[in-house]
Amino acid sequence: MRGLGWATIGAFGLVIVEITVFVLVAQAIGWGWAVLIGLATMLVGAMLVKREGVRAWRRFRAALAEGRPAGGEVSDGLTGLIGALLLIVPGFVTAAAGLLLLVPPVRSYTGRQVRRVAERRISPAAAGDLFGPRVVRAERTAPPPATRPGAADGGTVEGEIVEGEIIDPHPHQQ
């Protein structure tokens, strides 16, 4: 219920912002032009929803046919569909946000963020299946003795400790 309450407040706030921006634009360029621009963005959004949906579906199917993880195609397609849907929603603020999501660098960045959120919310195994294996960059450090819990001789194990971080193997591919 708490999330639904914030969503309601956010939607109400967006409506107020959209009405305010529409009135300001209409006063600046004229009511007829403001309505015409609003209708044009809705029409463009409707055409883009179909195009983005078909494009996302084809890329998803191609990834599956090639045996590649389809998560990148899903996150990119979702970003494009959200951008097109925002164009359909009446208002200049949502139209600007929708157009922004269709700009390739913004779309790529947003797709990566969608992927990161999805990876955090699902199990590592499911994330691996959806987005492919994670690549780890590691560097070797000086090997202090490490202890192994439950070892019979006190737990000392000789060897190297490898520190690393998970990196995106294809940072610009999305």
Side-chain angles (χ1 to χ4, degrees):
M1 182 64 185
R2 185 172 272 171
L4 185 60
W6 285 112
T8 304
I9 292 170
F12 185 69
L14 180 62
V15 168
I16 291 171
V17 168
E18 288 287 9
I19 291 171
T20 304
V21 170
F22 182 82
V23 168
L24 292 173
V25 169
Q27 287 175 346
I29 65 171
W31 290 92
W33 285 109
V35 170
L36 189 63
I37 291 170
L39 291 174
T41 59
M42 292 170 66
L43 181 64
V44 168
M47 291 186 307
L48 285 176
V49 163
K50 181 179 179 184
R51 187 191 83 172
E52 291 295 325
V54 169
R55 179 178 169 216
W57 180 250
R58 285 183 182 156
R59 290 180 63 199
F60 174 73
R61 297 277 311 229
L64 291 180
E66 295 170 10
R68 292 183 291 116
E73 281 76 9
V74 170
S75 60
D76 183 65
L78 182 63
T79 303
L81 280 172
I82 290 172
L85 288 171
L86 285 173
L87 284 171
I88 292 175
V89 175
F92 291 115
V93 175
T94 53
L99 284 173
L100 205 57
L101 283 177
L102 296 174
V103 174
V106 176
R107 182 176 181 155
S108 177
Y109 174 79
T110 307
R112 286 192 304 272
Q113 298 309 310
V114 168
R115 175 183 175 165
R116 285 187 183 148
V117 169
E119 284 178 335
R120 277 188 241 133
R121 295 187 181 258
I122 60 178
S123 72
D129 289 343
L130 187 60
F131 297 108
R134 294 183 182 188
V135 176
V136 177
R137 181 184 331 179
E139 61 183 63
R140 297 183 187 275
T141 61
T147 58
R148 182 179 62 199
D153 65 349
T156 303
V157 177
E158 294 297 322
E160 295 182 76
I161 295 177
V162 179
E163 294 183 19
E165 61 180 298
I166 296 175
I167 59 170
D168 187 357
H170 309 290
H172 301 293
Q173 178 189 37
Q174 294 256 338

